[in-house]
Amino acid sequence: MLSIKTIKPLMILSFGLSLFSNSYAQETKYLIEKSVNQDNEKFVKIFKDIHQNPELGFMESRTATIVAKELKSYGYQTTEKIGKTGVAAVMKNGDGPVVMYRADMDANAVKETTGLPYASTKIVKLEDGSETPVAHTCGHDAHVAWMLGTAKFFAEHKNLWKGTVIFIGQPAEEPILGAEAMVNDGLYTKHKIPVPDYLFGIHAAPVAVGVIAAATGVRMAGTDQFDVTFHGIGGHGSTPNLSKDPIVMAATAITQYQTIISRGIDPKNSAVITVGSVQAGSNNNVIPASALLKINLRWFNENDRKLMIDGIKRINESIAYAYNMPKDKYPTIAFKGWAQPLNNDIALTKVVQNALSNSGLIENPKYLLDENVLPSVMGSEDVHHLVIHNPKYAYSYINVGIAEPKRFIEAFKQKKLPFNAHNGDFEIDLSAIPYGTKAGITSMLAIFNETTQS
């Protein structure tokens, strides 16, 4: 969900373990390297398997089974089918903080065009009977591999941490529904998963392997996803005067929505209204009875969010009024997924930053990409919705580069975006699998050992 344009190329950072003395840090670094490298073939295989068998939100039954089977084999107390396909695994190891690590599992309705030998060729039938190609074009397959690698290390090296660790395989991040679904299904109540003191997660970034962004503050926009249906009166295409054309109404609305941004939102603020899909009719000479718009909003404050939603409602109703539609035929709105802006906890993220900047595992340590180098983006996430309703909700969500460095440099020089998410050419270099796992282990160890519970 990151735009490649916002990231300066090849700002390499070190990543490591500032929590230990030098000798202990070196020993721990060696253990991480040894463990991850020994298991690399295993987790690359899991990554390829999940990549080749992608599943859309709330359909991740196969992926969830893989996640649950692995976590059980490491010794975790594992609960399945939370929020339909979610997985939670718990391991207690004495007194200490409760730390949750989340990885999302769902794929995108995108046709893969990478040509990789393990590329997805999956076609999925949707609830409405239509079919769509499906592929992992946002890195969730890597997210799962990173989480499982971290979970295995924690199970095998209990001497390095004390407390309770929780690993979450979350469904349906793409429609921004999965985190709330797990919580609403009783993640902390019915399923009795411990309430975390801290939440951590990693997202793939369309930059070179060796680059990590761990920044404090607001990192990603809030979002709403909803459907608007314009209701009309269908008829013959040759006699539009005897019909009420919902396609014309919808087309008028699409153009008017953009004036909310250009003339309603403070120019100093950032907000987006996107109509991602227009669905109406199926014949050349038939005026349909309805037209559907799938709408997505991005925002950073509640006032702008309310302004956009209220503005869309007024525009819809004004168009229906102009076409003399009866009140019971006015446009309807079906709200779906939503998320608040992602706001990384400052103290927790600085713990992660310090750990990632001091290990010396990168050849050219220079920068930790922070808010001064990597601006916040209009992409959105729902990871934080696993904890925002809790009394404690400190979380840190970082980004790890996944592109082969030389290919990334060449692409960046040519101003191409071959590694951008939600694109059929999106590709994760296999070297990113062990690298992301090392970043996950390093960050989680620091959270357990350097944070102080409030």
Side-chain angles (χ1 to χ4, degrees), residues 95-118:
D95 295 330
V98 180
V99 184
M100 178 179 283
Y101 182 130
R102 172 274 212 173
D104 38 10
M105 303 185 293
D106 57 326
N108 308 95
V110 173
K111 180 179 176 60
E112 181 166 354
T113 54
T114 61
L116 291 168
Y118 51 90

Side-chain angles (χ1 to χ4, degrees), residues 135-296:
H136 274 290
T137 59
C138 201
H140 298 189
D141 43 1
H143 301 176
V144 171
W146 294 338
M147 179 188 72
L148 291 177
T150 302
K152 188 171 187 291
F153 182 90
F154 266 65
E156 294 174 347
H157 297 86
K158 292 183 181 180
N159 60 309
L160 296 180
W161 62 280
K162 292 295 180 183
T164 299
V165 67
I166 306 164
F167 290 95
I168 298 288
Q170 184 203 300
E173 184 278 332
E174 292 296 346
I176 311 293
L177 291 167
E180 289 281 344
M182 291 188 75
V183 172
N184 292 337
D185 190 33
L187 178 68
Y188 304 116
T189 54
K190 180 174 70 176
H191 300 289
K192 302 190 183 305
I193 303 303
V195 176
D197 299 306
Y198 307 107
L199 170 67
F200 175 76
I202 308 177
H203 198 294
V207 293
V209 176
V211 176
I212 300 178
T216 60
V218 176
R219 306 303 307 140
M220 305 180 82
T223 185
D224 288 90
Q225 301 197 62
F226 53 87
D227 296 344
V228 170
T229 301
F230 281 87
H231 305 282
I233 298 175
H236 200 288
S238 66
T239 54
N241 55 306
L242 302 179
S243 304
K244 300 286 188 181
D245 193 336
I247 294 179
V248 174
M249 295 185 218
T252 303
I254 291 170
T255 57
Q256 289 194 26
Y257 291 159
Q258 299 311 314
T259 63
I260 298 172
I261 301 296
S262 65
R263 290 296 177 267
I265 300 293
D266 187 327
K268 297 188 296 295
N269 297 348
S270 296
V272 175
I273 298 175
T274 293
V275 178
S277 177
V278 182
Q279 301 175 14
S282 57
N283 294 294
N284 294 53
N285 62 344
V286 176
I287 294 172
S290 65
L292 174 69
L293 303 180
K294 292 184 176 292
I295 297 174
N296 177 256

Side-chain angles (χ1 to χ4, degrees), residues 279-387:
Q279 301 175 14
S282 57
N283 294 294
N284 294 53
N285 62 344
V286 176
I287 294 172
S290 65
L292 174 69
L293 303 180
K294 292 184 176 292
I295 297 174
N296 177 256
L297 308 182
R298 306 287 166 147
W299 42 272
F300 284 104
N301 67 72
E302 282 290 334
N303 288 336
D304 288 345
R305 179 196 187 205
K306 186 176 186 301
L307 191 152
M308 288 189 288
I309 292 174
D310 290 347
I312 286 171
K313 289 178 179 177
R314 287 195 299 270
I315 287 171
N316 293 348
E317 292 177 2
S318 69
I319 291 171
Y321 178 82
Y323 279 80
N324 198 28
M325 296 298 299
K327 279 287 182 75
D328 64 348
K329 291 284 188 180
Y330 270 31
T332 54
I333 298 181
F335 287 93
K336 301 189 294 188
W338 71 283
Q340 293 182 5
L342 189 147
N343 188 354
N344 273 344
D345 181 82
I346 294 175
L348 179 62
T349 304
K350 286 192 178 297
V351 167
V352 173
Q353 284 178 348
N354 290 337
L356 293 172
S357 64
N358 292 323
S359 77
L361 291 175
I362 303 304
E363 291 182 4
N364 230 347
K366 190 175 181 182
Y367 293 106
L368 179 68
L369 298 190
D370 60 17
E371 59 271 19
N372 297 314
V373 178
L374 178 63
S376 58
V377 296
M378 298 306 294
S380 301
E381 253 286 352
D382 71 344
V383 55
H384 48 309
H385 279 245
L386 288 169
V387 298

Side-chain angles (χ1 to χ4, degrees), residues 24 32 37 41 73 88 95 125 166 173 200 205 271 328 344 351 429 443 453:
Y24 194 72
I32 294 173
N37 292 341
E41 185 177 346
S73 74
D95 295 330
K125 181 171 285 189
I166 306 164
E173 184 278 332
F200 175 76
D328 64 348
N344 273 344
V351 167
D429 191 74
S443 299
Q453 292 173 266

